[in-house]
PDB file of all heavy atoms in Angstrom:
ATOM      1  N   PRO X  11     -17.916 -16.668  11.056  1.00  0.00           N
ATOM      2  CA  PRO X  11     -18.849 -17.213  10.102  1.00  0.00           C
ATOM      3  C   PRO X  11     -19.579 -16.109   9.308  1.00  0.00           C
ATOM      4  O   PRO X  11     -19.902 -16.370   8.150  1.00  0.00           O
ATOM      5  CB  PRO X  11     -19.869 -17.980  10.994  1.00  0.00           C
ATOM      6  CG  PRO X  11     -19.090 -18.319  12.225  1.00  0.00           C
ATOM      7  CD  PRO X  11     -18.107 -17.169  12.436  1.00  0.00           C
ATOM      8  N   VAL X  12     -19.826 -14.964   9.915  1.00  0.00           N
ATOM      9  CA  VAL X  12     -20.503 -13.870   9.190  1.00  0.00           C
ATOM     10  C   VAL X  12     -19.674 -13.441   7.994  1.00  0.00           C
ATOM     11  O   VAL X  12     -20.174 -13.275   6.858  1.00  0.00           O
ATOM     12  CB  VAL X  12     -20.814 -12.713  10.119  1.00  0.00           C
ATOM     13  CG1 VAL X  12     -21.356 -11.518   9.314  1.00  0.00           C
ATOM     14  CG2 VAL X  12     -21.769 -13.118  11.200  1.00  0.00           C
ATOM     15  N   MET X  13     -18.338 -13.195   8.213  1.00  0.00           N
ATOM     16  CA  MET X  13     -17.488 -12.789   7.115  1.00  0.00           C
ATOM     17  C   MET X  13     -17.368 -13.879   6.025  1.00  0.00           C
ATOM     18  O   MET X  13     -17.373 -13.585   4.847  1.00  0.00           O
ATOM     19  CB  MET X  13     -16.082 -12.446   7.671  1.00  0.00           C
ATOM     20  CG  MET X  13     -15.090 -12.037   6.600  1.00  0.00           C
ATOM     21  SD  MET X  13     -15.544 -10.520   5.761  1.00  0.00           S
ATOM     22  CE  MET X  13     -15.097  -9.271   7.002  1.00  0.00           C
ATOM     23  N   LYS X  14     -17.283 -15.112   6.490  1.00  0.00           N
ATOM     24  CA  LYS X  14     -17.184 -16.241   5.540  1.00  0.00           C
ATOM     25  C   LYS X  14     -18.463 -16.280   4.695  1.00  0.00           C
ATOM     26  O   LYS X  14     -18.399 -16.466   3.468  1.00  0.00           O
ATOM     27  CB  LYS X  14     -16.993 -17.541   6.307  1.00  0.00           C
ATOM     28  CG  LYS X  14     -17.173 -18.790   5.526  1.00  0.00           C
ATOM     29  CD  LYS X  14     -16.126 -18.970   4.455  1.00  0.00           C
ATOM     30  CE  LYS X  14     -16.238 -20.355   3.788  1.00  0.00           C
ATOM     31  NZ  LYS X  14     -15.353 -20.484   2.611  1.00  0.00           N
ATOM     32  N   GLY X  15     -19.621 -16.120   5.311  1.00  0.00           N
ATOM     33  CA  GLY X  15     -20.875 -16.155   4.610  1.00  0.00           C
ATOM     34  C   GLY X  15     -20.987 -14.971   3.624  1.00  0.00           C
ATOM     35  O   GLY X  15     -21.482 -15.155   2.487  1.00  0.00           O
ATOM     36  N   PHE X  16     -20.531 -13.828   4.053  1.00  0.00           N
ATOM     37  CA  PHE X  16     -20.551 -12.641   3.160  1.00  0.00           C
ATOM     38  C   PHE X  16     -19.697 -12.834   1.909  1.00  0.00           C
ATOM     39  O   PHE X  16     -20.055 -12.550   0.808  1.00  0.00           O
ATOM     40  CB  PHE X  16     -20.133 -11.409   3.916  1.00  0.00           C
ATOM     41  CG  PHE X  16     -19.952 -10.202   3.021  1.00  0.00           C
ATOM     42  CD1 PHE X  16     -21.044  -9.535   2.491  1.00  0.00           C
ATOM     43  CD2 PHE X  16     -18.672  -9.737   2.689  1.00  0.00           C
ATOM     44  CE1 PHE X  16     -20.835  -8.418   1.655  1.00  0.00           C
ATOM     45  CE2 PHE X  16     -18.482  -8.661   1.886  1.00  0.00           C
ATOM     46  CZ  PHE X  16     -19.603  -7.995   1.349  1.00  0.00           C
ATOM     47  N   LEU X  17     -18.490 -13.350   2.151  1.00  0.00           N
ATOM     48  CA  LEU X  17     -17.579 -13.595   1.013  1.00  0.00           C
ATOM     49  C   LEU X  17     -18.107 -14.675   0.082  1.00  0.00           C
ATOM     50  O   LEU X  17     -17.953 -14.573  -1.163  1.00  0.00           O
ATOM     51  CB  LEU X  17     -16.190 -14.012   1.523  1.00  0.00           C
ATOM     52  CG  LEU X  17     -15.370 -12.850   2.181  1.00  0.00           C
ATOM     53  CD1 LEU X  17     -14.101 -13.430   2.818  1.00  0.00           C
ATOM     54  CD2 LEU X  17     -15.037 -11.846   1.107  1.00  0.00           C
ATOM     55  N   ASP X  18     -18.730 -15.708   0.628  1.00  0.00           N
ATOM     56  CA  ASP X  18     -19.343 -16.740  -0.217  1.00  0.00           C
ATOM     57  C   ASP X  18     -20.443 -16.157  -1.153  1.00  0.00           C
ATOM     58  O   ASP X  18     -20.539 -16.439  -2.283  1.00  0.00           O
ATOM     59  CB  ASP X  18     -19.953 -17.861   0.624  1.00  0.00           C
ATOM     60  CG  ASP X  18     -18.901 -18.731   1.285  1.00  0.00           C
ATOM     61  OD1 ASP X  18     -17.732 -18.658   0.786  1.00  0.00           O
ATOM     62  OD2 ASP X  18     -19.214 -19.429   2.256  1.00  0.00           O
ATOM     63  N   TRP X  19     -21.251 -15.218  -0.533  1.00  0.00           N
ATOM     64  CA  TRP X  19     -22.275 -14.521  -1.312  1.00  0.00           C
ATOM     65  C   TRP X  19     -21.617 -13.596  -2.320  1.00  0.00           C
ATOM     66  O   TRP X  19     -22.053 -13.582  -3.497  1.00  0.00           O
ATOM     67  CB  TRP X  19     -23.170 -13.730  -0.361  1.00  0.00           C
ATOM     68  CG  TRP X  19     -24.154 -12.855  -1.092  1.00  0.00           C
ATOM     69  CD1 TRP X  19     -25.369 -13.225  -1.616  1.00  0.00           C
ATOM     70  CD2 TRP X  19     -23.979 -11.504  -1.464  1.00  0.00           C
ATOM     71  NE1 TRP X  19     -25.959 -12.148  -2.257  1.00  0.00           N
ATOM     72  CE2 TRP X  19     -25.125 -11.052  -2.159  1.00  0.00           C
ATOM     73  CE3 TRP X  19     -22.929 -10.577  -1.211  1.00  0.00           C
ATOM     74  CZ2 TRP X  19     -25.253  -9.745  -2.601  1.00  0.00           C
ATOM     75  CZ3 TRP X  19     -23.056  -9.257  -1.705  1.00  0.00           C
ATOM     76  CH2 TRP X  19     -24.215  -8.885  -2.422  1.00  0.00           C
ATOM     77  N   LEU X  20     -20.633 -12.837  -1.928  1.00  0.00           N
ATOM     78  CA  LEU X  20     -20.014 -11.894  -2.798  1.00  0.00           C
ATOM     79  C   LEU X  20     -19.376 -12.543  -4.020  1.00  0.00           C
ATOM     80  O   LEU X  20     -19.484 -12.067  -5.131  1.00  0.00           O
ATOM     81  CB  LEU X  20     -18.932 -11.134  -2.031  1.00  0.00           C
ATOM     82  CG  LEU X  20     -18.180 -10.024  -2.765  1.00  0.00           C
ATOM     83  CD1 LEU X  20     -19.143  -8.882  -3.062  1.00  0.00           C
ATOM     84  CD2 LEU X  20     -16.987  -9.490  -1.960  1.00  0.00           C
ATOM     85  N   LEU X  21     -18.709 -13.657  -3.810  1.00  0.00           N
ATOM     86  CA  LEU X  21     -17.956 -14.312  -4.904  1.00  0.00           C
ATOM     87  C   LEU X  21     -18.809 -15.318  -5.693  1.00  0.00           C
ATOM     88  O   LEU X  21     -18.333 -15.905  -6.646  1.00  0.00           O
ATOM     89  CB  LEU X  21     -16.748 -15.043  -4.318  1.00  0.00           C
ATOM     90  CG  LEU X  21     -15.708 -14.118  -3.642  1.00  0.00           C
ATOM     91  CD1 LEU X  21     -14.617 -14.949  -2.954  1.00  0.00           C
ATOM     92  CD2 LEU X  21     -15.093 -13.136  -4.619  1.00  0.00           C
ATOM     93  N   ALA X  22     -20.071 -15.424  -5.301  1.00  0.00           N
ATOM     94  CA  ALA X  22     -20.962 -16.378  -6.015  1.00  0.00           C
ATOM     95  C   ALA X  22     -21.307 -15.866  -7.438  1.00  0.00           C
ATOM     96  O   ALA X  22     -21.605 -16.658  -8.317  1.00  0.00           O
ATOM     97  CB  ALA X  22     -22.255 -16.620  -5.222  1.00  0.00           C
ATOM     98  N   ARG X  23     -21.260 -14.547  -7.636  1.00  0.00           N
ATOM     99  CA  ARG X  23     -21.535 -13.951  -8.945  1.00  0.00           C
ATOM    100  C   ARG X  23     -20.446 -12.966  -9.318  1.00  0.00           C
ATOM    101  O   ARG X  23     -20.058 -12.127  -8.474  1.00  0.00           O
ATOM    102  CB  ARG X  23     -22.867 -13.173  -8.911  1.00  0.00           C
ATOM    103  CG  ARG X  23     -24.111 -14.055  -8.662  1.00  0.00           C
ATOM    104  CD  ARG X  23     -24.394 -14.948  -9.893  1.00  0.00           C
ATOM    105  NE  ARG X  23     -25.635 -15.676  -9.687  1.00  0.00           N
ATOM    106  CZ  ARG X  23     -25.703 -16.864  -9.088  1.00  0.00           C
ATOM    107  NH1 ARG X  23     -24.630 -17.439  -8.608  1.00  0.00           N
ATOM    108  NH2 ARG X  23     -26.911 -17.458  -8.930  1.00  0.00           N
TER     109      ARG X  23
END
Side-chain angles (χ1 to χ4, degrees):
V12 174
M13 178 63 77
K14 168 66 173 172
F16 171 73
L17 288 172
D18 288 343
W19 172 85
L20 182 69
L21 298 174
R23 297 288 186 274

